[in-house]
Amino acid sequence: MNFKAITGNYSEAPVQALVAPIFKDESADSGILKELDDLSGGNISAALQSEEFKGKEGETLYLPITGQNAAAKRVLLIGVGEQADHKAPGTAVLAGAAARFLRGKSVKSFVLITRSADSAIDTAAAAAQGVITGLFELDKYRTADKEERTIDEVIVVGDNQADLEKGLQRGRVIGDSMNFTRDLANEPANILTPTEMANRAKAMAAETGLSCNILDEAQMEALGMGSLLSVSKGSVQPAQLIVLKYEPAASTATDNSLLALVGKGITFDTGGISLKPADGMDAMKYDMSGGATVIGTMRAIGLLKPSIPVLGVVAAVENMPDGNATRPGDVVTAMNGKTVEILNTDAEGRLILADAVAYAETQGATRIVDMATLTGAVVIALGDINTGILGTSQELIDEIIASSKEVGEKFWQLPVGKEYSAQIKSDIADVKNIGKGRKAGTIAGAVFIQEFVKDAQWAHLDIAGTAWNDEPKPHHSKGPSGVAIKTLLRLVERSQ
């Protein structure tokens, strides 16, 4: 797909359609809307006067262009709600919805008129990202009924040519990296084994200038990662610890600070001996979404080249039941020396993250953000709207939440504390891997991971409710969402 930026007369652009955001209750007597109304032969003002279209968020109006001064033959208006609320994140939604709508009409090229209150760079980046992620589909393995239609060119209109071009380049990187993550998350578990996940991370690193080191089970055993390895015992697929590192040419990091992104990469989760019900178990191919998020974010970091170093660690493991599998009641020793009583083998994500965060800290991490599809409890608490965030560093949590607001993602903080930590104390070991029944399940998972972070600032993202969409949206297919990548990239930028 080709992206272009223009600041001139959009009506002369050689495209098939024009797209513009329209604010709630906007009139067609001035500005962009009047220009488009003239091109449509007055059809826009007629639709507004009849209240067929009012500019409410998500409304669409698709009309022919009858004027002779435009190359395009159609105009698509998309309602974006209140003008004061329309910023770059809204442009991403607008662009994705436009791309999906117009592809459905076999349109191959369009002009996108931007009206965001944010900078030209952020707005153009959001436009490119929105188009790219909007066109993602789940039909990779279909041999029939695939979506073969494409959008070949998008021209973005704004005020500053250089900033628009810079933004489009950035947005392409982010959009492609989100789709890279979504493709990983959507892979069947018979294809994306832990070894294959490691191979794809290694290939990506070679393409983007990252360093990549893969630790095998023997190396993890030597490091004392008994918690992580307890999960892989029941599978014929060996565990892999994927370690990615970005080093800037000239670092602006102070006091040897190092941000680490750590991800849960359970490529398939049966629950182990604590076997899950069969209904819906196929969705457990998504249980590596946290690891995929780390890999996709590191891809974008390698291409965008921020001025601080970033470490990415992914524990890639398959959780299966066989005669070698860990049993409920077993006790294992983690990398930091703490003993863990495993009471439920389906609470496995926290077991692999325990050793992964401990390893990140041994590599010099001073700030750690881990992410995982960790608990069903967070889905009950927050649904598919907000990602749960917990941690020991309020400063880091606040930075992540501020970053999420800037890019249009939603996070909601849940508490941790000694009262919750007391609930995972074991009678026979240092800690147990579950809390008290169904109470505070998301918090129990977080405070378990907390036990394996020594000095670093730490935040935990539970993306179980937001990592995939059960239904398609106008700007987004169903399936994996690529959540948190934009937030993490903004966090890196704010840390420079």
Side-chain angles (χ1 to χ4, degrees):
M1 187 189 311
N2 185 38
F3 286 97
K4 288 184 180 179
I6 62 171
T7 58
N9 189 349
Y10 59 84
S11 66
E12 297 176 355
V15 295
Q16 292 176 271
L18 306 177
V19 178
I22 304 302
F23 304 124
K24 184 180 178 182
D25 298 326
E26 187 174 8
S27 65
D29 55 7
S30 63
I32 291 291
L33 203 50
K34 184 178 189 312
E35 295 172 7
L36 295 172
D37 186 44
D38 291 342
L39 292 173
S40 74
N43 285 327
I44 293 175
S45 57
L48 292 173
Q49 289 168 8
S50 68
E51 298 190 346
E52 174 188 348
F53 179 83
K54 299 186 70 174
K56 293 181 180 179
E57 190 171 352
E59 280 188 322
T60 58
L61 183 65
Y62 192 50
L63 296 170
I65 290 176
T66 59
Q68 301 299 312
N69 297 326
K73 300 303 179 186
R74 291 277 182 170
V75 58
L76 172 64
L77 305 183
I78 299 181
V80 294
E82 298 292 343
Q83 182 172 359
D85 297 333
H86 183 60
K87 297 183 179 180
T91 300
V93 174
L94 164 78
R100 291 182 69 82
F101 182 95
L102 293 174
R103 182 182 62 181
K105 302 294 185 183
S106 297
V107 170
K108 291 186 173 296
S109 59
F110 65 92
V111 158
L112 178 64
I113 301 167
T114 61
R115 306 177 71 189
S116 161
D118 284 337
S119 70
I121 292 177
D122 284 346
T123 300
Q129 174 258 298
V131 169
I132 291 168
T133 55
L135 295 176
F136 179 87
E137 295 295 343
L138 302 179
D139 57 9
K140 179 177 180 178
Y141 292 105
R142 287 185 188 167
T143 59
D145 299 323
K146 292 175 71 74
E147 179 56 81
E148 302 288 359
R149 294 171 293 186
T150 61
I151 300 289
D152 296 333
E153 184 170 69
V154 178
I155 298 176
V156 177
V157 183
D159 297 327
N160 185 306
Q161 184 75 24
D163 283 353
L164 288 173
E165 291 175 353
K166 187 181 298 184
L168 290 176
Q169 183 179 8
R170 171 181 166 80
R172 181 186 287 278
V173 168
I174 297 172
D176 286 343
S177 297
M178 291 176 69
N179 282 357
F180 181 90
T181 290
R182 295 164 79 193
D183 184 61
L184 278 178
N186 194 53
E187 290 284 36
N190 63 315
I191 292 173
L192 194 78
T193 62
T195 299
E196 177 61 15
M197 193 173 186
N199 288 340
R200 295 196 190 186
K202 188 183 298 184
M204 178 278 293
E207 293 171 359
T208 58
L210 302 174
S211 67
C212 182
N213 185 30
I214 310 297
L215 276 63
D216 61 22
E217 289 192 339
Q219 291 170 299
M220 287 184 270
E221 184 75 37
L223 290 169
M225 294 186 176
S227 184
L228 188 158
L229 291 173
S230 72
V231 180
S232 69
K233 281 186 173 182
S235 175
V236 297
Q237 299 292 339
Q240 309 282 321
L241 190 71
I242 303 165
V243 184
L244 299 162
K245 184 71 177 291
Y246 167 75
E247 292 276 12
S251 176
T252 59
T254 58
D255 300 325
N256 296 314
S257 63
L258 176 62
L259 171 67
L261 309 177
V262 180
K264 170 188 172 184
I266 300 290
T267 58
F268 195 77
D269 180 22
T270 65
I273 296 299
S274 305
L275 194 66
K276 292 179 179 290
D279 186 30
M281 194 192 288
D282 59 292
M284 288 300 99
K285 70 177 184 178
Y286 290 132
D287 213 19
M288 37 64 67
S289 294
T293 300
V294 170
I295 296 172
T297 304
M298 293 301 295
R299 178 189 185 276
I301 288 169
L303 294 171
L304 294 174
K305 302 191 183 312
S307 62
I308 62 167
V310 184
L311 177 70
V313 179
V314 177
V317 183
E318 187 177 67
N319 187 23
M320 299 286 282
D322 78 356
N324 296 313
T326 295
R327 298 160 291 260
D330 286 358
V331 174
V332 298
T333 303
M335 182 182 178
N336 70 346
K338 288 191 177 182
T339 55
V340 179
E341 181 186 17
I342 299 172
L343 295 181
N344 188 326
T345 63
D346 193 26
E348 85 299 330
R350 64 202 69 181
L351 294 173
I352 68 171
L353 286 172
D355 281 332
V357 296
Y359 177 81
E361 196 161 12
T362 68
Q363 300 305 296
T366 56
R367 293 187 300 160
I368 298 172
V369 183
D370 80 70
M371 59 219 68
T373 49
L374 202 74
T375 65
V378 81
V379 184
I380 302 302
L382 301 177
D384 60 0
I385 307 299
N386 280 275
T387 290
I389 182 169
L390 310 90
T392 55
S393 169
Q394 193 60 48
E395 178 186 352
L396 180 56
I397 290 170
D398 288 345
E399 277 287 295
I400 294 169
I401 293 175
S403 298
S404 74
K405 289 179 178 178
E406 290 176 7
V407 299
E409 295 186 313
K410 295 181 182 296
F411 287 70
W412 193 265
Q413 185 176 358
L414 296 172
V416 297
K418 62 183 180 180
E419 297 88 354
Y420 292 110
S421 293
Q423 296 179 16
I424 62 163
K425 295 302 180 184
S426 166
D427 292 334
I428 65 170
D430 293 324
V431 290
K432 57 185 179 179
N433 75 326
I434 56 174
K436 292 185 176 181
R438 297 171 63 87
K439 293 182 179 179
T442 300
I443 299 171
V447 296
F448 180 89
I449 300 166
Q450 178 187 338
E451 292 288 325
F452 303 88
V453 180
K454 185 180 179 183
D455 298 316
Q457 294 183 326
W458 167 73
H460 163 68
L461 312 181
D462 194 334
I463 61 173
T466 53
W468 61 84
N469 300 309
D470 292 330
E471 299 295 335
K473 300 178 181 179
H475 66 287
H476 210 290
S477 72
K478 69 183 295 184
S481 65
V483 71
I485 291 176
K486 292 187 288 185
T487 294
L488 294 170
L489 290 173
R490 185 54 59 95
L491 173 67
V492 170
E493 290 175 341
R494 291 170 66 100
S495 303
Q496 295 184 103

